[in-house]
Amino acid sequence: MFFIIILYYFVFLIIHNQCKIIISPPKHWVKHAHIPHESRYENFYFYLKQKNNEILNKHLHLISNPRHNLYHNTSWLTLDQIIRIVKPDSISIKRLYYYLWSNGINLKECRHSRDGGILVCPILLTKANKILSANYTDFRHRIKNINITRTLSFILPNYLSNHIVTISPTTVFPDLSLFHNSITSNKSILIRQKRQDDLCSCQSYIKPCYLRNHYDIHQYRAHSSTNITLSIIGLANQYINDNDTNLFLKFIDNNNDNIKPKINILGYNNQSIPGREASLDIQYALAIARGVQVTFWSITNLNDPFSDFLFQLANMKHPPDIISISYGFSETRNDYTLFQKAIDQELQKAAARGITIVAATGDNGVGADSVDDCQSYHINFPASSPWVTAVGGTMNCLERGAFFSSGGFSTYEVQPIYQQNVVLHYLHQYNLTLPHANLFNSMGRAVPDVSLYATRYLNIVNGLIKSTSGTSAAAPIFAAIIALLNDYQVRHGRKRLGFLNPLLYQYASDIFHDITAGYNVGCNTTGFHAGIGWDPVTGLGRPSFIRFQKVLDAINLKQHQFKSLRINKN
């Protein structure tokens, strides 16, 4: 009798309390003539609401604040500790299980992330159409020629609304218009000619030798005993080729290093079709982060790559120390609010585990060129996440903000406390030159955090030498610098840097060279302008490896002095 009453209660909720979401496909996405086969499965990701987010948030801000005792005395959280803090309520899990089971989904085929935050289930599209009252269809991007499967509407029982953040894939379309790399290429025979050039000059092209000198890395090399790990994310059929990497290290890097770096591969890698983005990221990560264990992490799920990446990350007992992401999507092209909230939830947990996540801001300035697309400026996610270090781009030998470098203020993300003072200073100092107030949300998360060179990188793809530009070139360079600094920390018996942003903002003037020239165009405007201190074009400026080392030493010295003072008082 009890089971009957409970069953009746659930049925009543399912029938009478439903919420509905309907959207139109964004620009360039069109329905494909092909209809998904009735026997086709897709992985569906259910993001559950998790417990104690405020507790985790407070703890994370304390252990990442160099001026707090916990920064020195507390390690980053382990996966088991994360599980104990945030694991979803059992009621949420049971309600989701019931919803799936009552609609004929085999729960044995579903997999939970280790902390319970994500449940992924392979579901027939015909069944998904039925249980979500959806109409899953193949869509093709007219420019990029990529296919995905989405629905323009779905219905979810209202009784799940307090237990699930979002389901993916549903109505969120990826924005493929970002990160436009400017590329020219020549035959591979010209590589030998480039070897005679001054590889340490910024004239003509950017090469690893110049970057090592420019960012004060010089000949620093990580020691194998520190086991520092850096993962380069590859999405959208981006792969790497060993021959390309070896050619790059021999002819363009040309550092005469006797130790040949080894690339670890996580996921599928098709060496016969190397991609320019993945090749660029891996080649420069190896050249800059010498001695670091570099992994190419290939995400082959084209339909929902971010969910696949986050699910894998959540299940890693020993995740990488640093992750570099050169991909993203515009915040305002779709209604990404729930999807961003779900991803933020996972990124926050990664930050609490001491993982440094670096993301390129994108290459669309403050927004699209069309006025129709620009009722307001917009920035890109995941760079806009407060748990990510956002990397913008600079250009020219005298270094100024790159006109294409995405920067500004988030529409959805609240401005984190660690950057509020510097952002307020910029808004007050340059009040007279700011864009119109209705174009941006001055209270939103502000990006970029830092900036590095983003133009004229030489790399090799499929045996051809190419020149590549974009913030996606800058992100892996910064990630590589942090990897070397992690090595420095571990060598001195200190914890890995982990979530960086509070440290970067507190010691900005000691770590960075300020860049005060440049602007980022978009929406038929000149966007924001660079200035003294933080700005929405170049962030805090360009980092210096040596200056960063000195800051870490000074922080450690202060802590030792504080401990000694306490001991003497006792």
Side-chain angles (χ1 to χ4, degrees):
M1 182 65 181
F2 176 78
F3 174 77
I4 293 174
I5 292 173
I6 293 296
L7 183 60
Y8 174 79
Y9 171 70
F10 276 118
V11 171
F12 176 83
L13 285 174
I14 291 172
I15 293 175
H16 293 284
N17 293 309
Q18 298 174 334
C19 56
K20 191 171 185 179
I21 301 175
I22 300 175
I23 69 164
S24 298
K27 187 178 180 180
H28 300 310
W29 287 106
V30 294
K31 283 189 177 182
H32 192 29
H34 172 69
I35 299 174
H37 194 273
E38 61 181 10
S39 62
R40 192 169 116 201
Y41 283 82
E42 286 288 351
N43 279 337
F44 282 78
Y45 296 84
F46 298 84
Y47 290 86
L48 286 90
K49 287 190 176 179
Q50 299 175 39
K51 296 186 300 184
N52 301 321
N53 279 338
E54 287 304 315
I55 294 175
L56 182 63
N57 184 54
K58 182 178 180 180
H59 181 76
L60 180 51
H61 278 295
L62 292 178
I63 64 174
S64 62
N65 179 359
R67 292 173 181 160
H68 197 281
N69 285 336
L70 287 180
Y71 181 84
H72 306 275
N73 301 327
T74 306
S75 300
W76 299 107
L77 298 178
T78 65
L79 179 57
D80 290 338
Q81 289 172 321
I82 290 286
I83 292 171
R84 287 196 291 271
I85 295 171
V86 304
K87 187 174 182 179
D89 192 280
S90 60
I91 295 176
S92 298
I93 297 173
K94 288 176 181 177
R95 288 198 177 188
L96 177 56
Y97 279 177
Y98 175 80
Y99 171 69
L100 296 170
W101 171 79
S102 65
N103 283 287
I105 304 301
N106 185 356
L107 295 178
K108 291 182 179 179
E109 295 179 350
C110 298
R111 294 169 293 142
H112 257 300
S113 58
R114 293 173 68 118
D115 60 23
I118 307 174
L119 180 71
V120 57
C121 299
I123 301 177
L124 274 170
L125 288 179
T126 51
K127 183 159 285 188
N129 284 337
K130 182 179 178 181
I131 67 176
L132 292 172
S133 297
N135 183 24
Y136 278 94
T137 308
D138 281 346
F139 288 83
R140 180 185 292 273
H141 196 275
R142 288 183 295 188
I143 297 176
K144 300 293 184 178
N145 200 31
I146 290 177
N147 293 337
I148 62 171
T149 303
R150 292 295 186 272
T151 180
L152 295 185
S153 64
F154 71 96
I155 299 174
L156 189 67
N158 200 39
Y159 78 88
L160 286 177
S161 63
N162 290 326
H163 303 279
I164 293 178
V165 179
T166 193
I167 302 172
S168 185
T170 49
T171 58
V172 172
F173 287 71
D175 181 358
L176 300 176
S177 63
L178 306 179
F179 309 151
H180 300 298
N181 299 93
S182 172
I183 291 190
T184 57
S185 63
N186 300 297
K187 292 184 179 180
S188 58
I189 192 170
L190 294 181
I191 296 172
R192 286 187 286 275
Q193 297 173 1
K194 291 296 177 187
R195 192 177 182 185
Q196 305 305 316
D197 290 347
D198 181 4
L199 296 175
C200 294
S201 167
C202 94
Q203 300 297 328
S204 300
Y205 299 104
I206 298 298
K207 289 137 298 203
C209 178
Y210 176 76
L211 296 172
R212 283 193 288 267
N213 290 339
H214 188 64
Y215 297 117
D216 299 327
I217 301 166
H218 304 296
Q219 297 305 312
Y220 188 94
R221 180 186 181 89
H223 196 278
S224 59
S225 64
T226 59
N227 294 317
I228 303 302
T229 53
L230 165 61
S231 284
I232 302 295
I233 302 300
L235 305 180
N237 285 333
Q238 288 284 318
Y239 306 114
I240 60 173
N241 177 276
D242 288 343
N243 290 333
D244 288 345
T245 303
N246 292 334
L247 278 172
F248 173 84
L249 294 174
K250 183 176 181 180
F251 290 109
I252 295 180
D253 186 16
N254 196 29
N255 65 14
N256 298 317
D257 199 331
N258 294 324
I259 304 174
K260 185 178 179 181
K262 178 185 176 183
I263 306 171
N264 300 309
I265 304 294
L266 179 59
Y268 174 72
N269 182 47
N270 187 343
Q271 295 209 38
S272 65
I273 50 171
R276 71 193 193 209
E277 184 63 65
S279 300
L280 173 79
D281 291 3
I282 279 291
Q283 288 165 18
Y284 277 86
L286 288 170
I288 302 302
R290 290 181 294 180
V292 170
Q293 298 178 35
V294 177
T295 295
F296 176 61
W297 186 350
S298 176
I299 309 296
T300 55
N301 182 340
L302 292 177
N303 204 40
D304 196 358
F306 273 98
S307 292
D308 192 359
F309 156 63
L310 292 169
F311 185 78
Q312 291 185 47
L313 180 62
N315 283 314
M316 287 183 172
K317 190 79 172 177
H318 302 288
D321 298 311
I322 306 102
I323 297 173
S324 179
I325 304 173
S326 292
Y327 310 84
F329 50 81
S330 169
E331 281 192 339
T332 54
R333 294 288 176 86
N334 299 274
D335 182 7
Y336 284 122
T337 49
L338 293 179
F339 191 55
Q340 280 191 214
K341 184 178 180 180
I343 295 179
D344 266 339
Q345 190 172 256
E346 298 304 312
L347 294 176
Q348 182 189 32
K349 291 185 292 186
R353 294 176 68 187
I355 304 170
T356 303
I357 301 180
V358 173
T361 60
D363 303 336
N364 58 326
V366 293
D369 291 327
S370 170
V371 176
D372 294 335
D373 293 338
C374 277
Q375 295 178 358
S376 65
Y377 292 167
H378 59 260
I379 60 173
N380 306 313
F381 189 83
S384 63
S385 170
W387 311 113
V388 165
T389 302
V391 181
T394 61
M395 59 190 291
N396 300 344
C397 292
L398 295 179
E399 205 159 12
R400 57 186 289 117
F403 65 90
F404 57 80
S405 182
S406 296
F409 299 83
S410 173
T411 305
Y412 306 120
E413 303 280 1
V414 176
Q415 196 170 105
I417 191 169
Y418 57 73
Q419 66 172 184
Q420 288 176 358
N421 288 339
V422 296
V423 172
L424 185 62
H425 175 268
Y426 175 82
L427 294 173
H428 285 173
Q429 184 76 13
Y430 299 98
N431 179 52
L432 297 179
T433 59
L434 288 174
H436 196 281
N438 65 1
L439 288 173
F440 66 98
N441 170 28
S442 63
M443 302 301 292
R445 157 75 161 127
V447 300
D449 298 308
V450 304
S451 286
L452 291 86
Y453 264 115
T455 58
R456 303 176 293 115
Y457 278 75
L458 280 187
N459 72 306
I460 297 175
V461 185
N462 210 18
L464 300 177
I465 187 169
K466 296 179 180 289
S467 171
T468 306
S469 297
T471 58
S472 53
I477 303 301
F478 184 72
I481 291 172
I482 298 306
L484 295 178
L485 287 165
N486 268 341
D487 171 82
Y488 185 75
Q489 285 286 88
V490 174
R491 285 197 203 191
H492 289 79
R494 309 166 193 164
K495 73 177 183 181
R496 289 163 168 80
L497 293 175
F499 178 48
L500 282 175
N501 293 3
L503 169 63
L504 299 181
Y505 280 86
Q506 285 183 27
Y507 292 93
S509 62
D510 298 316
I511 294 173
F512 297 94
H513 294 284
D514 197 7
I515 300 171
T516 59
Y519 54 88
N520 46 6
V521 302
C523 296
N524 291 334
T525 73
T526 57
F528 297 99
H529 289 253
I532 297 173
W534 179 91
D535 59 69
V537 185
T538 63
L540 298 168
R542 66 173 169 91
S544 163
F545 181 76
I546 291 177
R547 290 172 66 168
F548 210 140
Q549 284 179 310
K550 290 179 179 178
V551 165
L552 295 175
D553 290 340
I555 291 172
N556 189 64
L557 179 61
K558 285 181 182 179
Q559 177 62 15
H560 278 300
Q561 290 173 342
F562 177 75
K563 284 184 177 179
S564 298
L565 184 62
R566 290 186 62 182
I567 292 171
N568 291 335
K569 283 184 176 180
N570 293 334

